Every structure is written in C-alpha cells, then in structure tokens.
Amino acid sequence: MLSAVCYPTSVSRSLKAHLLLVFITFAWGATFVVIKEALAQVSPLVFNALRMTVALIALIIILHKPLKSMTRPAALGGLLVGVFLWLGYAFQTTGLHLTTPSKSAFITGLSVVLVPIIVAVSGRRVPNRWTLLGVVCAFFGLYLMTIPANEYFSLASINRGDLLTFACAVSFAFHIFTTGYMTQRHPFQQISVMQVATAAVLTTFIIPVEAPRLAWTNQVVFAVLFTGLVCTALAFTIQAWAQQFTPPTHTALIFALEPVFAALTSYVLLGERLGVRGTVGAILILGGILVSELRGSALEPDRNFETAIPSKH
C-alpha cells in the first residue's frame, strides 16, 4: 500500500521537473532576442551589470538562510565559478550585439560539447569515440555557420560577434566544469549567490572599457527584469530543485532545445533566417551536442557533476 501511495507523488514530481526545465530552457532561448533588441538602447556591459545586480538581490532574498553558514572555501569556490560566469556573459552579450540571436544561441551551445574535453584533459585521458564524434560534428557546424561560402578559414573572415560568442562558449564550458566540481563540495545555494555576486562586481568594474550608454526605455527595463529575475535567479532555483528528479540524459536533451527555441523566437519576432548553409551548420551543432551528451556521457558514468548544467542566460 505504501508504494502505491508514493508512486503517483514520484511521477508527479518527475513530470513537474521536466516541464519546469522545458520552461526555463524556453526562457533562455527567448533571451537572445530580448537582449538583442535591448542592446539598441543600452551598452553590453551596463546591461550585464544591471541584470546581474537584479539577479543577486533576488537570490539573496530567496537563498539568504544558507548564506549565514558560508565557509571560506565555499566563498572562494563561488568566486572562481563567478569569474567564468562573468567572462561568459561579457563575451556573449558583447558578441550578440554584433551577430544574430540564432547564431549566438547555437555557438553558445558548443559549451556543452567542450565540457567532456575539459574533463578528459583534467583527468589525463582520451575522450570516448561518441564524445569525439559529437565535437567534430559541432565544430564542422560552427564552420558552416561562421565562415561565408567560398572563403577560406581566417580570423579576418569570421564575424567579430561570432568570434566573441565562441569565447563565450569556452568560458561557459569552464563554468559548467567548475560549477559541477564546487557544488559537489559546497552547498549549491552558497555557490549560486557567490558566483552571481562575483559576476556583478567584475562586470560593474570593467564598464569603463566600453562607451557606456543607457536609455531607460520599457524595452530595457523588461530585458533587465526578465533576464535577471526569470533567466538567472528563478532559473537557478528551479534547476537546482528539478534536477533532483530528472536523469542527466533527460536534462541534457531538454537543454539542447535552447538554441532551437532561440531560432524559433528570432524567426517569429525578428524574421531572422539562417539560410541553407547556416541551417545545416545549426543541425550539425545540435546533433553534435546530442551525440556527445546522450551517447558520450552514457559511457562515462563518473560525469555526474558536470551534467548539472547551470543557467547561461
């Protein structure tokens, strides 16, 4: 009788967790268009400073109790994770100002296939064949999306926004890796708040390197609140709860939908079209992510910590 009573609750939690993960993935995908539109009225670093400050205030309100027992190692761990989060946001938002939402989303998605490479290198071992196949597919897709037809590879031939977004993908890959490592050793609430605090402070500190501008339009206010409250503070909290009830492969599959949602949102709201070459590249990147995560991670059961992919938007 006891198992009969508990089973529906278990299923209900699992279904709720999956639906919530789809919701935050859609929110992250829609963020690319929201930010792209807002950048017409606000400079990238000013926008990031505002969104991270809003997210920090919200997280402190939500997670204030665990912060009272924060230790020095936890604070330092959160600071390290925050440095990579700061770099990822800085490169992504600045790059998005110079490229399209769809391209930015798919290139950012490369961070997922880069993580197992970092794990392999840190553990001094060779990635399995599925992981390598996923990486090759994703990078060939990146080539098709970023290098114009009839041009050879060179830095001059790459859109500067795409190049910055690739740097963002590398930064987020290290962010995923260090987040998984630190949250296995310290309370996730403390790491979440410390990383956002670090990103907020560092972003504010480097604002003078750009030409700061800000117009308090409804579009900018909505973008700041949406990305700060929904896509960072709320998403962190939802994800930490939901991944207790979803297998890592299900989470990876849901998160792989982020660039798809970004492309659909960009098409509906901005009329953006990738073209044949860009579409093939996007499919290869998405395919590479799925192969790497669903097949590659299946052969590496010790990769539990890195599957807790943190919010990127």
Side-chain angles (χ1 to χ4, degrees):
M1 289 296 293
L2 180 60
S3 60
V5 172
C6 294
Y7 181 70
T9 302
S10 167
V11 171
S12 175
R13 284 182 175 178
S14 175
L15 177 60
K16 190 182 299 182
H18 281 75
L19 292 175
L20 285 172
L21 287 175
V22 171
F23 165 73
I24 63 173
T25 302
F26 175 77
W28 290 340
T31 298
F32 287 93
V33 174
V34 172
I35 297 174
K36 179 69 175 180
E37 293 286 272
L39 289 176
Q41 290 92 36
V42 59
S43 55
L45 296 181
V46 171
F47 177 81
N48 277 345
L50 290 171
R51 69 184 280 191
M52 298 307 291
T53 300
V54 168
L56 177 60
I57 293 172
L59 282 174
I60 290 175
I61 294 173
I62 296 170
L63 307 174
H64 66 278
K65 290 184 179 179
L67 298 181
K68 298 176 182 178
S69 59
M70 185 181 296
T71 62
R72 187 169 181 270
L76 291 176
L79 191 149
L80 176 62
V81 175
V83 169
F84 289 117
L85 183 66
W86 162 63
L87 288 171
Y89 276 129
F91 285 130
Q92 184 185 59
T93 309
T94 306
L96 181 56
H97 187 51
L98 302 170
T99 189
T100 65
S102 295
K103 289 177 70 176
S104 178
F106 279 103
I107 296 172
T108 299
L110 288 171
S111 59
V112 177
V113 299
L114 291 174
V115 173
I117 301 299
I118 296 173
V119 172
V121 171
S122 65
R124 297 181 180 179
R125 55 187 173 82
V126 178
N128 65 66
R129 65 184 183 278
W130 289 108
T131 296
L132 290 175
L133 177 61
V135 171
V136 171
C137 285
F139 273 88
F140 187 61
L142 175 67
Y143 176 85
L144 292 178
M145 289 197 79
T146 58
I147 306 298
N150 303 319
E151 288 192 25
Y152 295 103
F153 173 79
S154 70
L155 291 180
S157 65
I158 303 176
N159 177 289
R160 184 164 167 260
D162 295 340
L163 198 59
L164 288 169
T165 308
F166 179 70
C168 144
V170 174
S171 300
F172 277 140
F174 278 101
H175 178 244
I176 293 169
F177 177 78
T178 54
T179 297
Y181 183 87
M182 294 302 174
T183 53
Q184 287 292 308
R185 290 156 179 78
H186 309 290
F188 78 88
Q189 300 96 327
Q190 297 175 2
I191 297 299
S192 293
V193 174
M194 274 302 300
Q195 69 168 331
V196 174
T198 300
V201 171
L202 291 176
T203 302
T204 303
F205 182 75
I206 67 166
I207 283 177
V209 305
E210 69 178 7
R213 56 187 173 82
L214 171 62
W216 283 109
T217 63
N218 291 337
Q219 197 171 45
V220 170
V221 172
F222 173 76
V224 169
L225 294 178
F226 181 69
T227 57
L229 295 177
V230 177
C231 298
T232 304
L234 182 62
F236 268 121
T237 306
I238 287 177
Q239 185 182 347
W241 175 84
Q243 287 195 216
Q244 300 175 82
F245 310 106
T246 54
T249 51
H250 290 198
T251 304
L253 181 60
I254 291 171
F255 285 171
L257 292 172
E258 181 185 340
V260 177
F261 285 143
L264 290 174
T265 307
S266 184
Y267 174 76
V268 172
L269 298 181
L270 303 180
E272 180 194 348
R273 292 172 174 78
L274 289 173
V276 176
R277 184 182 175 92
T279 300
V280 172
I283 292 172
L284 285 172
I285 290 176
L286 184 61
I289 293 171
L290 296 178
V291 168
S292 177
E293 283 301 300
L294 301 184
R295 296 302 302 269
S297 62
L299 300 179
E300 299 180 25
D302 58 322
R303 280 182 55 197
N304 291 334
F305 71 86
E306 73 183 68
T307 55
I309 303 175
S311 166
K312 302 188 292 298
H313 306 296

